């Protein structure tokens, strides 16, 4: 694990943003590693321990979305390369870079009673927004998701 922490200014808004980055590569136990890394950031930023049920739910949603994004990269995109967690005043952004060329999308129709295939449906339901950024001139992409900060 190669964690990197830092603070910077958001170029678009000028607001402070705190960034944590974890190189994943061919690490075994990638999903628990990504969750532990994100949980540590949430503790550092005061999201955990949660003082209210809403704050606890917000933190659990973040950890679930991290799990789903990293799992998708493991199963469908030749593995995750990097996890980036960005904290802004009102939004937490999760980014998972991978080597895959595919296009993640929620399965339609969604079949809640069947195992598997729920990852992007969960991301879509829990997040304010999510999307994909392609790497110009290189294979791979970054799948990102944004969640609201707890009140």
């Amino acid at each position: 694990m190669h964690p990197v922490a830092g603070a910077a200014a958001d170029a678009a808004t000028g607001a402070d943003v705190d960034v944590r980055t974890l190189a994943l590569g061919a690490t075994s136990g990638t999903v628990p590693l990504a969750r532990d890394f994100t949980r540590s950031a949430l503790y550092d930023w005061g999201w955990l321990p949660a003082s209210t049920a809403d704050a606890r739910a917000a933190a659990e949603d973040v950890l679930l979305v991290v799990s789903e994004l990293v799992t998708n990269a493991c199963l469908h995109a030749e593995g995750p390369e990097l996890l980036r967690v960005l904290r802004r005043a009102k939004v937490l952004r999760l980014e998972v870079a991978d080597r895959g060329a595919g296009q993640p999308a929620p399965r339609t129709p969604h079949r809640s009673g069947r195992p598997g295939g729920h990852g992007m449906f969960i991301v879509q339901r829990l997040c304010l927004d999510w999307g994909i950024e392609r790497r110009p001139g290189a294979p791979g992409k970054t799948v990102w998701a944004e969640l609201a900060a707890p009140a």
Side-chain angles (χ1 to χ4, degrees):
M1 168 171 81
H2 302 292
V4 177
D10 184 341
T13 65
D16 286 338
V17 59
D18 196 350
V19 181
R20 305 288 171 98
T21 303
L22 176 66
L24 293 169
T27 308
S28 64
T30 304
V31 175
L33 183 65
R35 284 179 63 91
D36 289 346
F37 175 79
T38 304
R39 184 180 294 109
S40 177
L42 296 179
Y43 270 102
D44 290 349
W45 296 332
W47 285 42
L48 291 172
S51 58
T52 67
D54 286 345
R56 190 170 27 262
E60 290 172 5
D61 288 352
V62 168
L63 296 174
L64 178 55
V65 170
V66 163
S67 295
E68 295 301 338
L69 293 178
V70 173
T71 297
N72 256 16
C74 290
L75 296 176
H76 306 293
E78 302 178 39
E81 293 181 325
L82 186 80
L83 167 64
R84 184 173 295 118
V85 183
L86 301 93
R87 181 184 57 90
R88 296 183 177 112
K90 297 182 181 183
V91 173
L92 186 89
R93 181 177 171 112
L94 305 168
E95 299 177 350
V96 175
D98 64 50
R99 296 176 288 277
Q103 180 84 10
R107 271 195 190 161
T108 24
H110 178 68
R111 298 179 184 194
S112 60
R114 302 193 72 176
H118 305 290
M120 294 313 294
F121 181 79
I122 290 169
V123 169
Q124 182 181 45
R125 288 295 186 125
L126 293 178
C127 295
L128 299 169
D129 200 7
W130 71 277
I132 301 145
E133 294 174 359
R134 297 283 172 191
R135 297 182 201 167
K141 65 188 169 302
T142 297
V143 180
W144 58 268
E146 295 181 340
L147 296 97

